[in-house]
Amino acid sequence: MMTVSGALLAACQSDPDIDITKLGVETDPPDVLYNQGLANIKAGNMVEASRKFDAVDRQHPFSESSRKALVMSTFVKYRMARYTDAIATGNRYMNLYPRSDDSAYVQYLVGLSHWKQIVNVTQDQKSSLQTIDAMQKVVDNYPDSEYVEDAQAKIRFARDQLAGKEMQVGRYYLERKEYLAAVSRFRVVIEKYPNTNQIEEALARLVEAYYAMGVAQEAQTAAAVLGHNYPDSQWYADSYKLLQTGGLQPRENPGSWIARAGKSLLLGG
């Protein structure tokens, strides 16, 4: 049996012969309303399609037509950039049909709807957290689905955003010479987001902060971990030069939290 997601285009090609510009009050049988919704998708009329699918769910709840209409309603709202509505509809579907053939697709649409709302790192990253939560459900609950690879990519992007937010705040403190506050932010990046694109700078900023505080051993350790993992990095070259200005060089202290965190970098986070 074909899933709703897999049969979307094929279904649109078998539309009934209707005038989609003159659709009347939605009192038709559920299969008719559903097919009218598909016809409107094909014609590019997403607003009318959404209205038809919502009518199926409203007038014929818990029917097979309603189940399929909820899938399509989630899809159409996502395509219309009505992300909050898509999330609400998708979550309703997942509560009702968590093990259906279309569940992986709907959960993926929920994740995409959160992902589309991610903003730059100067702003709140709530949508990044929600993206990770939604997409991790795709990975964990539907490991054999075709959506897993992209779900993992979206998780990586969202984690990069969360790490970037910590870096943005950490740099703010560093510029104001509030070194302890800066270190705490960079530490979050290294310990919580070690496999993100922010890790090299986080280690380099630790060198900078600890050096400015006069905590030479930790500055040397941060530089050593940076050089060991990213020997060709410009961040390492800059950190090395900074230490040299004080007659120091990278040297790892095995008892440092930075050294312990560095082991997770070697293991790939």
Side-chain angles (χ1 to χ4, degrees):
M1 182 178 66
M2 299 181 71
T3 65
V4 173
S5 56
L8 175 58
L9 293 179
C12 287
Q13 293 171 353
S14 60
D15 299 328
D17 185 16
I18 58 175
D19 182 355
I20 63 172
T21 66
K22 298 179 180 179
L23 298 177
V25 179
E26 290 136 351
T27 56
D28 291 319
D31 59 328
V32 173
L33 286 171
Y34 179 80
N35 285 329
Q36 288 172 349
L38 294 180
N40 277 282
I41 290 178
K42 184 178 181 182
N45 191 346
M46 294 295 179
V47 173
E48 185 66 17
S50 178
R51 194 164 71 94
K52 292 298 179 182
F53 294 132
D54 287 346
V56 176
D57 181 47
R58 184 173 59 253
Q59 297 177 23
H60 309 278
F62 311 114
S63 65
E64 177 60 14
S65 293
S66 174
R67 186 193 70 77
K68 294 191 299 181
L70 277 174
V71 177
M72 298 311 303
S73 181
T74 305
F75 165 75
V76 169
K77 288 167 183 172
Y78 167 75
R79 285 288 300 273
M80 294 169 65
R82 288 170 49 188
Y83 300 124
T84 300
D85 291 339
I87 291 165
T89 302
N91 283 339
R92 179 164 179 264
Y93 182 93
M94 295 306 298
N95 287 332
L96 291 172
Y97 312 105
R99 296 299 173 191
S100 77
D101 290 340
D102 292 301
S103 295
Y105 177 62
V106 173
Q107 184 62 48
Y108 176 65
L109 285 176
V110 170
L112 285 180
S113 297
H114 285 301
W115 177 73
K116 283 286 190 176
Q117 298 181 84
I118 293 176
V119 292
N120 68 62
V121 296
T122 63
Q123 301 178 58
D124 183 79
Q125 292 299 304
K126 178 178 68 173
S127 292
S128 292
L129 289 168
Q130 292 169 328
T131 296
I132 292 171
D133 180 67
M135 289 302 192
Q136 195 62 52
K137 289 176 182 175
V138 175
V139 175
D140 293 342
N141 298 334
Y142 312 100
D144 299 323
S145 77
E146 62 189 288
Y147 312 108
V148 167
E149 184 176 354
D150 193 57
Q152 291 172 327
K154 297 299 188 288
I155 291 170
R156 289 192 295 270
F157 177 85
R159 285 175 57 81
D160 283 342
Q161 288 293 109
L162 292 172
K165 180 64 177 181
E166 295 292 337
M167 291 300 301
Q168 186 248 339
V169 177
R171 286 191 295 267
Y172 173 88
Y173 287 130
L174 189 61
E175 290 169 2
R176 285 155 182 76
K177 300 183 179 181
E178 297 180 38
Y179 299 120
L180 285 175
V183 165
S184 71
R185 295 293 182 159
F186 302 140
R187 180 168 184 167
V188 169
V189 175
I190 291 165
E191 292 186 327
K192 192 171 181 179
Y193 306 111
N195 57 346
T196 65
N197 58 12
Q198 304 291 331
I199 193 66
E200 294 177 45
E201 183 183 355
L203 286 165
R205 297 298 185 185
L206 277 179
V207 176
E208 186 178 345
Y210 278 128
Y211 184 82
M213 292 167 64
V215 186
Q217 194 173 56
E218 291 292 73
Q220 290 173 285
T221 298
V225 171
L226 177 58
H228 191 61
N229 287 277
Y230 309 99
D232 300 322
S233 167
Q234 184 60 47
W235 290 109
Y236 175 59
D238 293 342
S239 296
Y240 193 94
K241 289 178 183 178
L242 177 62
L243 290 179
Q244 282 189 318
T245 62
L248 302 173
Q249 62 182 356
R251 179 179 294 114
E252 184 173 327
N253 169 22
S256 168
W257 73 266
I258 307 172
R260 292 193 298 272
K263 293 187 173 86
S264 72
L265 298 180
L266 290 172
L267 295 173

